[in-house]
Amino acid sequence: MGGSARVVVVTGGTRGVGAGIARAFLDTGARVLVCARRPPERPVATGRGTARFLPVDLRDPDGVRAFFARVEEEHGRLDVLVNNAGGTPFQRLGDGADERHARILGLNLVAPLTASLAAHRIMRRQAGGGCVLMIGSVSGTRPSPGTAAYGAAKAGLDHLARSMAVEWAPEVRVNTLVLGMVRTAAARLHYGDADGVAAVARTVPAGRLAEPDEIGAAAVFLASPAASYITGASLLVHGGGERPAFLDAANAGHDVIHDKEG
């Protein structure tokens, strides 16, 4: 398949954040491939093009290597890999089987490692090298009760990206987008109904959750020539983070004092 457009792979790019990232790269004119175990309900597309879907189970190393070999054979190169696939249900560490937590670690840490290694084998041989982006989370930067295995995996992913950036420089740049809360269908699974999502959004300094296309814009920047000197970095895309709980507690205490004085 000819053409000079960049070739971009977005894992888990069929919905949510991944689809937002895929759309952003499509709008740059890139040839975008999205992969997951199941095809999207509708094609991921913009006015500039449609992402190609290829099936793969990212937890199957042989399947992952075969997937990237197919990408190179059919497209001739690979310029950008976005390791977006992942996620977790809410489950405290003491609940459920140990193997369940291990599977979460596998999907969110081992699978991106496997995909990155396969991508690197292509990128290191081609003119211009390439770029690998990890999709991290604020869950990997602070305690994450209920999603502890996921948080541990995301913390490891950030460290892995920094090490890759050193080992693979200068041919391949590796960076991490550290995401806060994003408005997707999965948000309601974690935060409840619309009122619950709105209440959570008010805890973010920006006053709202991120939109998937905003995450896509950040990914496009890190993969662009404008970011050519950025590698081994972690870009926080979290709307200012999370308002410290002690501030609300302190304000509540002041309110009680004022009520008593009144």
Side-chain angles (χ1 to χ4, degrees):
M1 185 172 182
S4 60
R6 290 193 304 170
V7 177
V8 179
V9 167
V10 183
T11 68
T14 58
R15 57 193 175 94
V17 170
I21 294 170
R23 288 192 296 267
F25 277 104
L26 283 170
D27 280 340
T28 70
R31 288 179 280 163
V32 179
L33 296 92
V34 296
C35 61
R37 287 185 296 168
R38 292 179 291 274
E41 294 181 0
R42 60 181 61 86
V44 178
T46 72
R48 294 290 303 275
T50 301
R52 180 186 181 192
F53 170 77
L54 292 177
V56 66
D57 183 347
L58 291 163
R59 292 168 294 190
D60 173 15
D62 289 337
V64 170
R65 287 187 284 270
F67 168 84
F68 282 97
R70 181 178 178 183
V71 170
E72 183 178 26
E73 178 183 357
E74 297 183 4
H75 292 270
R77 61 184 297 111
L78 173 62
D79 298 282
V80 181
L81 166 64
V82 184
N83 282 303
N84 166 77
T88 182
F90 183 91
Q91 185 175 58
R92 297 195 181 277
L93 283 171
D95 299 335
D98 298 352
E99 291 78 8
R100 185 180 181 90
H101 299 302
R103 286 196 296 271
I104 292 170
L105 285 167
L107 175 61
N108 291 281
L109 179 56
V110 180
L113 169 59
T114 305
S116 297
L117 289 170
H120 176 250
R121 295 183 186 106
I122 301 171
M123 293 175 176
R124 70 185 180 187
R125 299 194 304 265
Q126 65 191 19
C131 174
V132 174
L133 295 179
M134 305 297 193
I135 302 301
S137 170
V138 293
S139 295
T141 66
R142 45 88 167 137
S144 187
T147 56
Y150 173 80
K154 291 299 187 180
L157 194 65
D158 191 23
H159 186 278
L160 178 64
R162 293 173 188 270
S163 297
M164 284 178 172
V166 173
E167 289 198 15
W168 295 352
E171 292 83 8
V172 178
R173 295 189 299 112
V174 188
N175 292 295
T176 303
L177 287 174
V178 182
L179 306 189
M181 293 171 285
V182 185
R183 186 180 299 280
T184 65
R188 290 200 175 191
L189 297 177
H190 286 276
Y191 312 133
D193 58 15
D195 290 339
V197 173
V200 170
R202 288 193 293 271
T203 69
V204 181
R208 61 179 179 84
L209 276 60
E211 298 295 336
D213 289 357
E214 292 177 305
I215 307 304
V220 165
F221 163 69
L222 279 181
S224 74
S228 61
Y229 199 65
I230 300 175
T231 192
S234 301
L235 178 61
L236 300 175
V237 189
H238 59 10
E242 300 169 342
R243 180 178 172 82
F246 73 83
L247 292 177
D248 292 330
N251 290 334
H254 288 312
D255 291 341
V256 170
I257 292 173
H258 293 158
D259 288 343
K260 289 181 179 179
E261 290 176 348

